[in-house]
Amino acid sequence: GCILDGKLYPFGEIARTDNCFRCSCSQQAMLCCSLFHTPIGYDKENCKVVFNKKSCDYDVVQKSDPSKECLVYSRV
C-alpha cells in the first residue's frame, strides 16, 4: 500500500482520504488531487474562511457571526 500522513492506504483508487484528497496508490507512486476548492473572491473585510472537514470544502462565514455564510464570487 501507500502511506499518507502516517496512514496506510491499499493499492488502487482511494475515493477520499482523511485529509480530503482523492488518490491513486500504485507500487510506483501515490498521486493525489484535492477534493476542495479555495475561495478567493469574497468580502475579506467582513468574512473569513473556515475548512469544513465533513464536507471537504471551505466555508466562508461572517466574522461577526460564523453561523451566517458569505457570498463567494470565485474559487480556485
Side-chain angles (χ1 to χ4, degrees):
C2 299
I3 294 178
L4 179 67
D5 296 326
K7 183 172 179 182
L8 179 64
Y9 291 94
F11 288 126
E13 299 297 318
I14 300 132
R16 177 179 163 173
T17 68
D18 291 347
N19 292 329
C20 298
F21 286 88
R22 179 178 52 238
C23 300
S24 175
C25 171
S26 71
Q27 290 181 342
Q28 290 77 32
M30 184 171 194
L31 304 172
C32 298
C33 295
S34 66
L35 293 171
F36 48 88
H37 296 92
T38 306
I40 56 167
Y42 62 94
D43 181 353
K44 292 179 174 66
E45 189 173 317
N46 297 307
C47 302
K48 64 180 180 178
V49 176
V50 180
F51 190 70
N52 183 334
K53 202 165 185 178
K54 186 176 182 182
S55 68
C56 279
D57 208 354
Y58 288 100
D59 294 334
V60 180
V61 296
Q62 292 181 8
K63 289 179 181 177
S64 60
D65 184 357
S67 68
K68 295 181 181 174
E69 290 188 16
C70 292
L71 179 63
V72 177
Y73 304 102
S74 61
R75 292 176 183 258
V76 292

